Amino acid sequence: MSVELVELVNQYLTPNVPISPIAQGAEAIVFTTHVHPYLPNEITKDIDTNKKYIIKFRPPKKYRHPVIDKSLTKHRTLSEARILSKLFQIEGLKVPRLIAMDAVNGYLWMEFLGEDLPNNKGFSNLKNFLWMYSSDGRDPYDKVVKETLFKVGEQIGLLHWNDYCHGDLTSSNIVLVRDSNDIDNWIPHLIDFGLGSTSNMVEDKGVDLYVLERAIISTHSSYSDKYNEWLVKGFSSVYEKQGKNGSKKLGELLGRFEEVRLRGRKRSMLG
Amino acid sequence: MLVSKLPQFPDFTISASLFSNIENGEDLVKDIANIPYSLIDTTLICSVEQIYSAIYRVLVEYKFNRIKTKSINSELLLCLSQNSNITQNFKKFGINANTKNLVIVSILENQINNDLNKEFNALLKGEEIELNNENLQKICDMKAIRKILTSNLMMIQILPRPLSMLFS
Ligand SMILES: Nc1ncnc2c1ncn2[C@@H]1O[C@H](COP(=O)(O)O)[C@@H](O)[C@H]1O
């Protein structure tokens, strides 16, 4: 990460908000901090001890005209906030809670989700979680894995049933939050709606499913058949609960998923 | 009185108090143009998060953009919802002659006023109670809040978890 960018963020946040960078993508840099942006200590001390927050920053792009750049940053930040806010209101759907926003400067604050997996297995996203179960002599087909993937499928089902698409559904963008009362209960949360949108198009939904399937095949190829089967089972369960209309939509969607898959295969054969 | 600073805006001192059983609502409304604080009717306020996230928005606008109303005090009323209609927000969150409960907020830049608590108590004929979620929830109108919250970006999310669950 460039020193210049970190300096820009530090200047904006002031030394009162110490940050640690955790990720840099094409669009945004992500930091964590222990400082709440606005709640007085008297208020946070009871409810929020040791809380961590995420600061997601969309830096200016030098190759864009400054005026266009400002307006794009503002729109994208607002759009991500808006979609998170809508999704948060959908019953059963798990996304990070937004805390604060400065759209003009490209900053979003949200709650930090997840934890470090035991034995240095990394952050608790779906990708690392599956790695963990395929190493150290553990059973990659463990009941916990099956249940977790089913729940991931349910989350995507809920998202799609409500006509939202993720746009970048990789196994790193699914964070598992451990239930504090049951260590084997991992509750999947969907993050990074930077490319999210409302959409009722089967194509967009089919592509979401395809992207996740590819991600799992590429990182966990030996077990991917079963893993993807469990995901689709969880996904389908959401639609099947919706009666006839749900089953009809599910049929169309899985049909398109298959088409997208075939197109992908052709493309890779053509090289 | 709750006195604090927002980490990103160390030059500003925020002081806020909650008053109940206000008796001089009518006089306050008449004199509102001369009162150098924000007065927020708590009918639509069920948590301190609502107040402080709005203060954060005010300071962001003030420092990096420009505020859309006359002063920081009036801007706070505007920032209590994502709706940008100034008249509507003043009506919703500002006080009226019948206001019984209110939050009073002072935002001072590069100044310290050690008499604020006295000033608040001299201005408001009522009873000061601790500004916290428990007290706000006793005096707010949950039904009315439910109506405005679902249409407001971020308003539900910023509430502490047990509260936000009431609405989702
Ligand atoms: N709410 C969150 N809680 C925990 N980690 C997050 C959160 N948001 C983003 N991250 C981390 O930051 C990375 C990049 O974020 P993003 O740019 O939103 O994809 C993610 O892959 C996560 O590792």
Side-chain angles (χ1 to χ4, degrees):
Chain A
M1 194 165 316
S2 88
V3 179
E4 210 178 309
L5 269 183
V6 174
E7 185 47 38
L8 183 70
V9 176
N10 277 326
Q11 229 166 42
Y12 171 85
L13 291 172
T14 80
N16 297 329
V17 185
I19 46 169
S20 326
I22 58 163
Q24 173 160 33
E27 265 277 309
I29 317 178
V30 176
F31 302 89
T32 57
T33 181
H34 288 280
V35 177
H36 193 285
Y38 49 79
L39 280 184
N41 287 333
E42 283 89 336
I43 304 290
T44 47
K45 70 173 193 285
D46 303 329
I47 45 169
D48 258 359
T49 42
N50 227 347
K51 259 273 187 184
K52 246 202 298 195
Y53 309 96
I54 287 278
I55 301 174
K56 182 165 176 174
F57 171 52
R58 289 178 161 76
K61 301 265 193 226
K62 291 222 172 81
Y63 56 82
R64 291 199 291 241
H65 185 282
V67 175
I68 295 171
D69 185 61
K70 272 249 168 240
S71 135
L72 268 178
T73 299
K74 183 177 163 187
H75 273 103
R76 290 186 179 158
T77 309
L78 255 174
S79 147
E80 186 172 354
R82 202 166 278 144
I83 201 165
L84 276 175
S85 171
K86 293 285 180 206
L87 296 177
F88 188 82
Q89 293 178 45
I90 294 174
E91 202 182 326
L93 199 57
K94 307 280 187 197
V95 298
R97 161 197 299 267
L98 255 177
I99 296 170
M101 167 173 68
D102 174 359
V104 170
N105 288 306
Y107 287 88
L108 282 180
W109 295 60
M110 53 195 134
E111 72 177 329
F112 180 91
L113 298 171
E115 59 186 81
D116 284 329
L117 294 168
N119 306 319
N120 296 318
K121 300 296 179 190
F123 178 64
S124 64
N125 58 33
L126 180 63
K127 185 177 170 179
N128 293 335
F129 172 84
L130 293 176
W131 278 122
M132 178 173 79
Y133 271 94
S134 62
S135 62
D136 300 344
R138 294 184 84 159
D139 177 10
Y141 296 131
D142 194 290
K143 186 167 137 272
V144 175
V145 176
K146 182 175 179 180
E147 283 167 2
T148 305
L149 284 165
F150 187 89
K151 283 183 282 190
V152 170
E154 282 180 322
Q155 286 297 310
I156 305 162
L158 269 175
L159 184 76
H160 285 179
W161 173 253
N162 287 284
D163 282 338
Y164 287 92
C165 285
H166 186 281
D168 185 22
L169 197 55
T170 62
S171 47
S172 319
N173 282 334
I174 297 162
V175 174
L176 304 176
V177 178
R178 203 173 201 157
D179 183 345
S180 49
N181 301 313
D182 174 2
I183 56 161
D184 278 338
N185 183 17
W186 295 90
I187 305 160
H189 287 60
L190 304 179
I191 64 163
D192 189 7
F193 284 88
L195 296 172
S197 60
T198 55
S199 170
N200 53 13
M201 311 244 290
V202 279
E203 174 71 16
D204 294 341
K205 296 174 186 176
V207 169
D208 259 0
L209 290 175
Y210 179 66
V211 168
L212 183 57
E213 182 178 83
R214 289 304 316 170
I216 290 187
I217 291 173
S218 70
T219 47
H220 307 91
S221 57
S222 317
Y223 318 112
S224 59
D225 283 350
K226 268 273 169 263
Y227 286 179
N228 286 318
E229 182 193 318
W230 293 334
L231 277 172
V232 171
K233 274 221 175 93
F235 181 88
S236 303
S237 74
V238 172
Y239 276 73
E240 282 156 358
K241 274 192 206 121
Q242 304 293 336
K244 243 190 169 151
N245 184 30
S247 300
K248 181 171 152 266
K249 283 191 167 167
L250 177 66
E252 290 166 11
L253 220 165
L254 293 182
R256 182 60 69 99
F257 178 24
E258 183 57 33
E259 274 177 41
V260 176
R261 216 188 250 143
L262 285 175
R263 286 204 309 257
R265 207 166 294 152
K266 261 191 218 139
R267 207 174 304 127
S268 65
M269 275 188 327
L270 290 172
Chain B
M1 192 169 65
L2 207 50
V3 183
S4 63
K5 284 176 187 261
L6 271 49
Q8 248 180 289
F9 305 97
D11 300 340
F12 294 81
T13 304
I14 321 292
S15 311
S17 292
L18 173 60
F19 280 78
S20 68
N21 299 320
I22 293 289
E23 285 166 12
N24 59 336
E26 213 166 321
D27 299 337
L28 293 172
V29 171
K30 267 187 215 142
D31 211 25
I32 196 80
N34 302 315
I35 296 176
Y37 322 112
S38 294
L39 299 180
I40 303 164
D41 186 299
T42 60
T43 305
L44 295 176
I45 305 292
C46 63
S47 82
V48 287
E49 278 83 352
Q50 269 174 286
I51 307 268
Y52 282 90
S53 67
I55 294 171
Y56 182 79
R57 283 187 62 198
V58 170
L59 294 180
V60 163
E61 292 302 320
Y62 184 79
K63 184 162 172 186
F64 302 111
N65 255 319
R66 55 172 188 273
I67 57 175
K68 298 177 192 69
T69 59
K70 281 201 311 284
S71 69
I72 281 193
N73 297 321
S74 47
E75 193 75 7
L76 183 53
L77 293 178
L78 180 65
C79 286
L80 278 164
S81 91
Q82 295 286 329
N83 181 343
S84 56
N85 185 316
I86 295 174
T87 320
Q88 269 180 22
N89 278 342
F90 282 14
K91 218 181 200 163
K92 265 191 205 149
F93 298 105
I95 55 159
N96 58 61
N98 299 318
T99 292
K100 287 281 163 272
N101 306 297
L102 61 80
V103 170
I104 182 167
V105 181
S106 148
I107 304 177
L108 288 177
E109 184 176 10
N110 291 319
Q111 280 178 60
I112 295 175
N113 180 353
N114 289 320
D115 294 327
L116 258 183
N117 206 13
K118 264 188 238 151
E119 288 178 19
F120 285 179
N121 278 284
L123 178 71
L124 305 171
K125 286 213 180 76
E127 182 193 338
E128 183 176 355
I129 54 178
E130 194 185 333
L131 174 57
N132 58 33
N133 287 351
E134 203 187 335
N135 282 334
L136 285 169
Q137 277 156 48
K138 273 187 220 147
I139 53 185
C140 71
D141 180 347
M142 276 295 185
K143 253 201 199 134
I145 293 177
R146 189 187 300 265
K147 253 191 232 151
I148 62 155
L149 280 187
T150 42
S151 58
N152 262 323
L153 174 73
M154 277 181 65
M155 291 278 280
I156 291 188
Q157 291 177 85
I158 57 165
L159 299 180
R161 215 176 269 283
L163 250 182
S164 63
M165 291 306 142
L166 286 179
F167 297 106
S168 46

